Amino acid sequence: MVLPAAMLTALCVAMTASTADAGIGLGNQQTVGGVMIAPDGSVRAATIEEQKEMAQVVRNAMQVPAGELAEATDRRVISLNGLQAALQEAHESGKHLDTETMFLAGMQRIEYVIVDEENNDILLAGPAEPWMVRPDGHVVGTKTGGSVLRLDDLVTAFSSVETARNDGGIRCSIEPTAEGRVRLQNFLKNVKLRPGQNPAYLEAGMRQAFGPQQIFLAGVPTDSRFARTLVAADFEMKRIAMGLTQSPVAGLPSYLEIAKNQAQSSVSSPRWWMACDYDPIAHDADGRVWKISGQGVKTLTEDDTFDKEGKVRSTGRQNPLATKWADMMTEQFEDLSRERPVFRDLRNAMDLAVVATLVTQQQLDQKSGIDLSVLRGKDSQVELASYDMPKTLEPQCSFIKGRAGWTVTASGGVNVNAFAVSENAVIDETLGSVAVASDSASRWWWNSK
């Protein structure tokens, strides 16, 4: 199905950020993984009515997968040469991209990266499914319910490898300001709770004292869907950890529930962030076939401490309760990402960053003889949607009154160190038997047994 320009733009937005799939603009706002992120810094969950509207826009912009796209397969193969040719042809002819290209033929993960020297090509292979639009507007696979991979994230990943290298990786964090911490400390100095009094009534004043939180991004363009995915996933992780939204998974309570009535420090607080979690990348003896495996995402934690000026430093220590919550989120990641696709979107973005970095670091493009200038954005053959990213957000934080004082939980982030993943390689001679032969020379993807 060929999309008109306006609908294609809406569809791109609907796929903005954590690969959520619906980042459709409503007024001056855009949704990312069900999270409304507006340039003015306001952030909130999309309402049921807004989700329905987004779902309808996306359905109207898409065609139901047909033919082999309507079938789930354990191994679908994408030819990067073929994909680039399709993108270049669409650019030169003025045609709009179809949905199978936007969704990378329904790919769920990239399990193999294969050097095809005979055809001067690089092949990506992995499981794929037909896609559907959930009632909340997310586009997911019909078999597993996982978000599908997206073309714009692939292009951003390839075009950002050198930027990420210079920036020390792809990173996102949402942090309070030093001034906000000082204001909060001063506020709490004057708090006197009566015996049995619920401290919840103080939270509005505490948030006001804390003030807006700053967004820090590195390694990818701040106006990209990839970047918005990082922000939305970080935001949603915080909300679940701090009990600001109900966890959709029974095995993942909020940190506040775990830490209730426990001793709390008045000068330190836990910080959580999501990072890469991959097995060593395996390759055959010739470096022709590379296998990527592992869950992809894990949650880590460390305590931060701050001085009277509000300046923060990492302690290098881990709060056992915060570690328990981080481990629980890691263990429940698959279930959580099905309920909140923003987390699956994050893993998809990480997967594509690992693929692009692997190809670059191991010089697989040079080995195969492929020119990746289209995917690397050097020839402007692919026009990506651009999104306004706020520099600050309204405070999203919770406060725990413990036996030793107040603990403020507000910091977090995402750290995608794809270079460390691509360099952690081992030889597996059995990979030489991986088959991905094409049964069609007329398209850029095919199914292989």
Side-chain angles (χ1 to χ4, degrees):
M1 176 182 183
V2 176
L3 306 180
M7 198 61 78
L8 179 64
T9 300
L11 187 59
C12 287
V13 181
M15 302 166 193
T16 233
S18 311
T19 309
D21 45 73
I24 297 171
L26 297 174
N28 292 324
Q29 297 173 324
Q30 293 174 318
T31 295
V32 182
V35 177
M36 305 294 289
I37 300 180
D40 66 4
S42 60
V43 181
R44 63 175 174 82
T47 67
I48 298 298
E49 199 56 41
E50 287 167 340
Q51 291 175 1
K52 290 180 179 178
E53 290 180 23
M54 288 183 287
Q56 192 56 51
V57 170
V58 176
R59 287 193 191 96
N60 291 342
M62 295 190 332
Q63 185 179 39
V64 176
E68 289 185 86
L69 287 175
E71 303 171 1
T73 176
D74 291 334
R75 188 173 299 170
R76 182 160 292 161
V77 183
I78 289 177
S79 158
L80 292 189
N81 242 346
L83 176 60
Q84 287 195 134
L87 296 175
Q88 188 167 2
E89 192 277 332
H91 175 77
E92 293 175 351
S93 65
K95 294 179 180 178
H96 300 299
L97 298 179
D98 54 29
T99 51
E100 75 178 56
T101 307
M102 294 291 296
F103 295 142
L104 292 176
M107 294 283 282
Q108 287 281 310
R109 293 205 78 175
I110 306 298
E111 293 183 340
Y112 297 96
V113 178
I114 301 170
V115 174
D116 182 2
E117 296 181 61
E118 182 179 350
N119 297 298
N120 301 122
D121 202 355
I122 290 178
L123 309 178
L124 309 181
E129 305 171 20
W131 54 86
M132 66 177 185
V133 183
R134 294 190 350 169
D136 59 7
H138 293 93
V139 178
V140 298
T142 58
K143 180 180 178 182
T144 64
S147 301
V148 295
L149 296 175
R150 307 303 176 87
L151 171 66
D152 39 5
D153 287 339
L154 178 66
V155 174
T156 298
F158 266 109
S159 63
S160 300
V161 172
E162 295 307 321
T163 301
R165 188 196 308 277
N166 295 333
D167 288 350
I170 298 171
R171 292 172 287 116
C172 161
S173 65
I174 305 175
E175 305 287 347
T177 64
E179 296 78 8
R181 290 189 177 94
V182 171
R183 285 194 302 267
L184 180 61
Q185 286 178 315
N186 293 334
F187 177 90
L188 293 176
K189 287 178 182 177
N190 299 315
V191 170
K192 301 293 183 182
L193 287 178
R194 297 186 299 273
Q197 187 175 16
N198 188 341
Y201 84 97
L202 294 168
E203 291 194 3
M206 294 167 81
R207 287 192 178 92
Q208 183 176 6
F210 218 16
Q213 294 172 255
Q214 298 175 308
I215 297 176
F216 296 97
L217 284 162
V220 291
T222 58
D223 63 348
S224 65
R225 176 176 174 271
F226 198 119
R228 290 176 66 83
T229 296
L230 303 180
V231 173
D234 181 18
F235 176 84
E236 195 65 9
M237 176 186 66
K238 281 186 184 179
R239 283 166 43 82
I240 293 173
M242 298 182 295
L244 298 173
T245 185
Q246 181 67 38
S247 170
V249 178
L252 183 64
S254 71
Y255 172 71
L256 270 65
E257 293 176 72
I258 295 176
K260 194 174 183 181
N261 299 323
Q262 301 295 316
Q264 303 294 336
S265 170
S266 60
V267 294
S268 66
S269 60
R271 172 173 55 92
W272 294 279
W273 69 96
M274 289 171 284
C276 293
D277 185 24
Y278 293 88
D279 301 329
I281 295 182
H283 63 87
D284 66 351
D286 297 328
R288 187 185 70 87
V289 181
W290 299 73
K291 183 178 181 180
I292 301 171
S293 60
Q295 177 165 276
V297 183
K298 62 182 175 183
T299 304
L300 301 174
T301 185
E302 191 172 88
D303 275 3
D304 285 342
T305 187
F306 48 90
D307 59 23
K308 61 182 180 180
E309 282 82 31
K311 296 179 181 178
V312 176
R313 64 178 178 82
S314 175
T315 65
R317 298 190 300 269
Q318 296 180 344
N319 177 323
L321 293 176
T323 299
K324 179 180 179 179
W325 189 86
D327 291 344
M328 293 173 71
M329 182 171 176
T330 299
E331 293 165 2
Q332 299 293 330
F333 183 81
E334 287 294 339
D335 290 340
L336 180 63
S337 63
R338 276 191 291 271
E339 296 295 327
R340 298 285 170 84
V342 66
F343 295 110
R344 181 61 176 272
D345 290 341
L346 174 64
R347 188 178 76 180
N348 287 352
M350 285 186 175
D351 282 357
L352 295 176
V354 168
V355 168
T357 304
L358 174 68
V359 169
T360 303
Q361 287 287 90
Q362 301 295 339
Q363 299 182 332
L364 303 187
D365 53 336
Q366 296 180 32
K367 186 170 185 175
S368 69
I370 189 175
D371 178 0
L372 290 173
S373 57
V374 174
L375 286 175
R376 285 181 171 141
K378 295 180 180 178
D379 294 333
S380 300
Q381 301 288 341
V382 184
E383 296 180 10
L384 301 181
S386 177
Y387 309 99
D388 291 326
M389 177 67 75
K391 296 182 179 179
T392 61
L393 298 179
E394 291 303 308
Q396 294 291 321
C397 46
S398 286
F399 309 90
I400 306 172
K401 179 65 169 72
R403 294 195 297 270
W406 293 87
T407 288
V408 181
T409 58
S411 299
V414 179
N415 185 357
V416 185
N417 188 349
F419 294 95
V421 177
S422 68
E423 291 168 359
N424 185 20
V426 296
I427 294 178
D428 181 352
E429 295 182 357
T430 66
L431 291 176
S433 62
V434 173
V436 291
S438 172
D439 59 0
S440 172
S442 61
R443 62 188 182 203
W444 52 268
W445 63 267
W446 61 87
N447 294 338
S448 178
K449 296 182 180 179

